[in-house]
Amino acid sequence: MTANVSLIRFQVHGDDRGSLIALENGHNLPFDVKRVYYIFGTKADVPRGFHAHRRLKQVLVAMSGSVTVKTEHNGKIETHLLNRSDEGLLIEGLVWREMHDFSPDCVLLVLADEYYNESDYIRDYELFKKEESR
Ligand code: T46
């Protein structure tokens, strides 16, 4: 699987009652979702993540509030401010990720193409770099 990080903008169905976004496997989501989790009740000064996945595909959406996601793959280091519920950060394959500066109201929704599997995690940065260079 080629490592990739990119932003996806979702179509908003809006009217005078408010907004609605529909996420559908294979349409505006580039994979079939097997797992959904969300991160909330975070603290601004407590980062999370600090790992890579070997094969997982995920889309991260800040449903409310904001978070800065730092990613690294193939020597490319980027920071992504997630603060819109109509935008998802697609992270595929061997990508190191860190989440910083959660706002107190942040609810970060994550859609994943696989069930939780601790053996897919690389939680050691040096090991990540070693796997990348293979
Ligand atoms: C990722 C970033 C964006 C489960 O039991 N099931 C799950 O599906 C997940 C994701 C986690 N857990 C357990 C494992 C740990 O005991 O929940 C606890 C916290 O997980 P972790 O420390 O890995 O959380 P984060 O916020 O550092 O990372 C998470 C995801 O694990 C990871 O895949 O890409 O969010």
Side-chain angles (χ1 to χ4, degrees):
M1 181 189 300
T2 308
N4 172 53
V5 178
S6 51
L7 278 172
I8 304 173
R9 187 61 69 85
F10 303 120
Q11 186 188 356
V12 181
H13 304 277
D15 55 34
D16 54 10
R17 298 169 300 168
S19 303
L20 183 154
I21 291 173
L23 304 178
E24 296 189 348
N25 291 342
H27 289 171
N28 52 359
L29 291 176
F31 54 78
D32 286 357
V33 176
K34 275 195 186 162
R35 177 167 53 108
V36 176
Y37 61 92
Y38 39 99
I39 296 171
F40 59 99
T42 50
K43 299 186 178 71
D45 50 352
V46 181
R48 302 180 67 106
F50 296 89
H51 58 256
H53 285 281
R54 292 190 165 83
R55 302 205 55 78
L56 193 65
K57 298 180 183 182
Q58 298 195 112
V59 170
L60 284 62
V61 184
M63 302 301 289
S64 87
S66 64
V67 59
T68 297
V69 181
K70 184 178 170 190
T71 58
E72 177 179 350
H73 68 289
N74 299 322
K76 194 169 161 189
I77 298 174
E78 295 171 320
T79 56
H80 312 267
L81 175 65
L82 302 186
N83 61 0
R84 308 173 55 117
S85 43
D86 65 347
E87 199 170 76
L89 184 67
L90 172 65
I91 304 180
E92 303 175 292
L94 197 60
V95 176
W96 187 261
R97 82 280 321 262
E98 302 173 9
M99 294 168 281
H100 296 271
D101 302 327
F102 285 93
S103 65
D105 59 342
C106 184
V107 179
L108 182 65
L109 177 77
V110 184
L111 311 170
D113 77 330
E114 274 305 338
Y115 298 118
Y116 177 68
N117 175 8
E118 186 57 39
S119 69
D120 187 60
Y121 282 73
I122 302 174
R123 294 188 182 273
D124 180 281
Y125 182 75
E126 294 311 319
L127 182 59
F128 159 70
K129 294 301 282 182
K130 207 182 277 181
E131 294 250 344
E132 247 199 338
S133 63
R134 275 191 191 162

Coordinates of all heavy atoms in Angstrom, one line a residue, residues 35-39 42 47-53 56 58-60 69 91 95 97-99 102 108-110 112 114-118 120-121 123, ligand 1:
R35 N -14.8 0.3 10.9 CA -14.7 0.7 12.3 C -14.8 2.2 12.3 O -14.3 2.9 11.5 CB -13.4 0.3 12.8 CG -13.1 0.7 14.3 CD -11.9 -0.1 14.8 NE -10.7 0.0 14.0 CZ -9.6 0.8 14.2 NH1 -9.5 1.4 15.4 NH2 -8.6 0.8 13.4
V36 N -15.6 2.7 13.4 CA -15.7 4.1 13.6 C -15.4 4.3 15.1 O -15.8 3.6 15.9 CB -17.2 4.6 13.4 CG1 -17.3 6.0 13.8 CG2 -17.6 4.3 11.9
Y37 N -14.5 5.3 15.4 CA -14.3 5.7 16.7 C -14.2 7.2 16.8 O -14.0 7.9 15.8 CB -13.0 5.0 17.3 CG -11.7 5.3 16.7 CD1 -10.9 6.3 17.1 CD2 -11.3 4.5 15.6 CE1 -9.7 6.5 16.5 CE2 -10.1 4.7 15.0 CZ -9.2 5.7 15.5 OH -8.0 6.0 14.8
Y38 N -14.3 7.8 18.0 CA -14.1 9.2 18.1 C -13.4 9.6 19.4 O -13.5 8.8 20.4 CB -15.5 10.0 18.0 CG -16.7 9.3 18.7 CD1 -17.1 9.7 19.9 CD2 -17.4 8.3 18.0 CE1 -18.2 9.1 20.5 CE2 -18.5 7.7 18.6 CZ -18.9 8.1 19.9 OH -20.0 7.5 20.5
I39 N -12.7 10.6 19.3 CA -11.8 11.1 20.4 C -12.4 12.4 20.9 O -12.7 13.3 20.1 CB -10.4 11.3 19.9 CG1 -9.8 9.9 19.4 CG2 -9.5 11.9 20.9 CD1 -8.5 10.0 18.6
T42 N -10.5 15.8 25.3 CA -9.0 15.9 25.3 C -8.6 17.2 26.0 O -9.4 18.1 26.2 CB -8.5 15.9 23.8 OG1 -9.3 16.9 23.1 CG2 -8.7 14.6 23.2
P47 N -0.8 15.8 23.7 CA -0.8 15.3 22.4 C -1.2 13.8 22.4 O -1.0 13.1 23.4 CB 0.6 15.5 21.8 CG 1.5 15.6 23.0 CD 0.6 16.0 24.2
R48 N -1.6 13.3 21.2 CA -1.9 11.8 21.1 C -1.3 11.3 19.8 O -0.7 12.1 19.0 CB -3.4 11.6 21.0 CG -4.2 12.2 22.2 CD -5.7 11.9 22.0 NE -6.0 10.5 22.1 CZ -6.6 9.8 23.1 NH1 -6.9 10.5 24.2 NH2 -6.8 8.5 23.0
G49 N -1.4 10.1 19.6 CA -0.9 9.5 18.3 C 0.5 9.0 18.6 O 0.7 8.1 19.4
F50 N 1.5 9.5 17.8 CA 2.9 9.1 17.9 C 3.0 7.7 17.5 O 3.6 6.9 18.3 CB 3.5 9.4 19.3 CG 3.5 10.9 19.7 CD1 2.4 11.5 20.3 CD2 4.6 11.6 19.4 CE1 2.4 12.8 20.6 CE2 4.6 13.0 19.6 CZ 3.5 13.6 20.3
H51 N 2.5 7.4 16.4 CA 2.6 6.0 15.9 C 2.3 6.1 14.4 O 1.8 7.1 13.8 CB 1.7 5.0 16.6 CG 0.2 5.4 16.5 ND1 -0.5 6.0 17.5 CD2 -0.6 5.3 15.4 CE1 -1.7 6.2 17.1 NE2 -1.8 5.8 15.8
A52 N 2.6 5.0 13.7 CA 2.2 4.7 12.3 C 1.5 3.4 12.2 O 1.5 2.7 13.2 CB 3.5 4.6 11.4
H53 N 0.8 3.2 11.1 CA 0.1 2.0 10.9 C 0.8 1.3 9.7 O 1.2 2.0 8.7 CB -1.4 2.2 10.6 CG -2.2 2.5 11.8 ND1 -2.5 1.5 12.7 CD2 -2.6 3.6 12.3 CE1 -3.2 2.0 13.7 NE2 -3.3 3.3 13.5
L56 N -3.3 0.3 7.5 CA -4.6 0.9 7.8 C -4.9 2.2 6.9 O -4.0 2.9 6.6 CB -4.7 1.3 9.3 CG -6.1 1.7 9.8 CD1 -7.0 0.5 9.8 CD2 -5.9 2.2 11.2
Q58 N -7.5 5.5 7.0 CA -8.4 6.2 7.9 C -8.7 7.6 7.3 O -7.9 8.2 6.6 CB -7.7 6.4 9.3 CG -7.4 5.1 10.0 CD -7.0 5.4 11.5 OE1 -7.8 4.9 12.3 NE2 -6.0 6.0 11.7
V59 N -9.9 8.0 7.7 CA -10.3 9.4 7.5 C -10.6 10.1 8.8 O -11.4 9.5 9.6 CB -11.5 9.5 6.5 CG1 -12.0 11.0 6.4 CG2 -11.1 9.1 5.1
L60 N -10.0 11.2 9.1 CA -10.2 11.9 10.3 C -11.0 13.2 10.1 O -10.6 14.0 9.2 CB -8.8 12.4 10.9 CG -7.9 11.3 11.6 CD1 -7.5 10.2 10.7 CD2 -6.7 12.0 12.2
V69 N -3.0 18.0 13.1 CA -2.5 16.7 12.9 C -1.1 16.8 12.1 O -1.1 17.4 11.1 CB -3.4 15.8 12.1 CG1 -2.9 14.4 11.9 CG2 -4.8 15.7 12.8
I91 N -5.6 9.3 5.6 CA -4.2 8.8 5.9 C -4.2 7.3 5.6 O -4.9 6.6 6.1 CB -3.8 9.0 7.4 CG1 -4.0 10.5 7.8 CG2 -2.4 8.6 7.7 CD1 -3.6 10.8 9.3
V95 N 2.4 5.9 7.6 CA 2.4 7.4 7.9 C 2.5 7.6 9.4 O 1.7 7.1 10.1 CB 1.2 8.1 7.3 CG1 1.3 9.6 7.7 CG2 1.0 7.9 5.8
R97 N 1.9 9.7 12.6 CA 0.9 10.7 12.9 C 1.0 11.1 14.3 O 1.2 10.3 15.2 CB -0.5 10.4 12.4 CG -1.4 9.5 13.3 CD -1.1 8.0 13.2 NE -0.8 7.5 11.9 CZ -1.7 6.9 11.1 NH1 -2.9 6.7 11.5 NH2 -1.3 6.4 10.0
E98 N 0.8 12.4 14.5 CA 0.7 13.0 15.9 C -0.5 14.0 15.9 O -0.7 14.6 14.9 CB 2.0 13.7 16.3 CG 3.2 12.9 16.2 CD 4.5 13.7 16.4 OE1 4.4 14.9 16.7 OE2 5.6 13.1 16.2
M99 N -1.2 14.0 17.0 CA -2.3 15.0 17.1 C -1.9 16.0 18.2 O -1.7 15.5 19.4 CB -3.6 14.2 17.4 CG -4.0 13.4 16.2 SD -5.3 12.2 16.7 CE -4.4 11.0 17.5
F102 N -5.4 20.0 20.8 CA -6.9 19.8 20.7 C -7.6 21.0 21.4 O -7.2 21.5 22.5 CB -7.2 18.6 21.5 CG -6.9 17.3 20.9 CD1 -5.7 16.6 21.1 CD2 -7.9 16.7 20.0 CE1 -5.4 15.4 20.5 CE2 -7.6 15.5 19.4 CZ -6.4 14.8 19.6
L108 N -13.1 14.4 17.5 CA -12.5 13.9 16.3 C -13.0 12.6 15.9 O -12.8 11.6 16.6 CB -10.9 13.9 16.5 CG -10.1 13.4 15.3 CD1 -10.2 14.5 14.2 CD2 -8.7 13.2 15.7
L109 N -13.7 12.5 14.8 CA -14.3 11.3 14.3 C -13.3 10.6 13.4 O -12.6 11.3 12.6 CB -15.6 11.6 13.5 CG -16.3 10.4 12.8 CD1 -17.1 9.7 13.8 CD2 -17.2 10.9 11.7
V110 N -13.1 9.3 13.6 CA -12.2 8.6 12.7 C -12.9 7.4 12.1 O -13.5 6.6 12.8 CB -10.9 8.1 13.5 CG1 -10.0 7.4 12.5 CG2 -10.3 9.2 14.2
A112 N -12.3 4.0 9.7 CA -11.2 3.1 9.4 C -11.6 1.9 8.5 O -12.8 1.5 8.6 CB -10.5 2.6 10.7
E114 N -10.3 -1.1 8.7 CA -10.0 -2.4 9.4 C -10.4 -2.3 10.8 O -10.5 -1.2 11.4 CB -8.6 -2.8 9.2 CG -8.2 -3.5 8.0 CD -9.1 -4.8 7.7 OE1 -9.6 -5.3 8.7 OE2 -9.2 -5.2 6.5
Y115 N -10.6 -3.5 11.4 CA -10.9 -3.5 12.8 C -9.6 -3.2 13.6 O -8.5 -3.2 13.0 CB -11.4 -4.9 13.2 CG -12.7 -5.3 12.5 CD1 -12.7 -6.4 11.7 CD2 -13.8 -4.6 12.8 CE1 -13.9 -6.8 11.0 CE2 -15.0 -5.0 12.1 CZ -15.0 -6.0 11.2 OH -16.2 -6.4 10.6
Y116 N -9.8 -2.9 14.9 CA -8.7 -2.6 15.7 C -7.7 -3.8 15.8 O -8.1 -4.9 16.1 CB -9.2 -2.2 17.1 CG -8.0 -1.9 18.1 CD1 -7.2 -0.8 18.0 CD2 -7.8 -2.8 19.1 CE1 -6.2 -0.6 18.9 CE2 -6.8 -2.6 20.1 CZ -6.0 -1.4 19.9 OH -5.0 -1.2 20.8
N117 N -6.4 -3.5 15.6 CA -5.4 -4.5 15.5 C -4.1 -3.9 16.0 O -3.4 -3.3 15.2 CB -5.3 -5.1 14.1 CG -4.2 -6.1 14.0 OD1 -3.6 -6.6 15.0 ND2 -3.9 -6.6 12.8
E118 N -3.7 -4.2 17.2 CA -2.5 -3.6 17.8 C -1.3 -4.0 17.0 O -0.3 -3.2 16.9 CB -2.4 -4.0 19.3 CG -1.3 -3.3 20.1 CD -1.3 -1.8 20.0 OE1 -2.4 -1.2 20.1 OE2 -0.2 -1.1 19.9
D120 N -0.9 -3.9 13.9 CA -0.7 -3.0 12.8 C 0.0 -1.7 13.2 O 0.4 -0.9 12.3 CB -2.1 -2.7 12.1 CG -1.9 -2.0 10.8 OD1 -1.3 -2.5 9.9 OD2 -2.5 -0.8 10.8
Y121 N 0.2 -1.5 14.5 CA 0.7 -0.2 15.0 C 2.3 -0.3 15.0 O 2.8 -1.3 15.4 CB 0.3 0.1 16.4 CG -1.1 0.6 16.6 CD1 -2.2 -0.2 16.4 CD2 -1.3 1.9 16.9 CE1 -3.5 0.3 16.6 CE2 -2.6 2.4 17.1 CZ -3.7 1.6 16.9 OH -5.0 2.1 17.1
R123 N 4.8 1.9 17.1 CA 4.7 3.0 18.1 C 6.1 3.5 18.4 O 6.3 4.4 19.2 CB 4.1 2.5 19.4 CG 2.6 2.2 19.2 CD 1.9 1.9 20.5 NE 0.5 1.6 20.3 CZ -0.5 2.4 20.2 NH1 -0.3 3.7 20.3 NH2 -1.8 2.0 20.1
Ligands
T46_1 C1 -4.9 6.8 15.1 C2 -5.2 8.0 15.8 C3 -5.8 9.1 14.8 C4 -9.4 0.3 21.0 O1 -9.6 -0.5 21.9 N1 -10.0 0.3 19.8 C5 -9.8 1.2 18.9 O2 -10.4 1.1 17.8 C6 -8.8 2.2 19.1 C7 -8.5 3.3 18.0 C8 -8.2 2.3 20.3 N2 -8.4 1.3 21.3 C9 -7.8 1.4 22.6 C10 -6.3 1.2 22.6 C11 -5.8 2.1 23.7 O3 -5.9 1.4 24.9 O4 -8.0 2.8 23.1 C12 -6.8 3.2 23.7 C13 -6.3 4.5 23.2 O5 -5.7 4.3 21.9 P1 -4.5 5.0 21.3 O6 -3.5 5.3 22.4 O7 -3.9 4.3 20.1 O8 -5.1 6.4 20.8 P2 -4.5 7.6 19.9 O9 -5.4 8.7 20.1 O10 -3.1 7.8 20.3 O11 -4.6 7.1 18.4 C14 -5.8 6.8 17.8 C15 -5.8 5.5 17.0 O12 -5.3 4.4 17.9 C16 -4.9 5.5 15.8 O13 -5.1 4.4 15.0 O14 -4.5 6.8 13.9 O15 -6.1 7.9 16.9

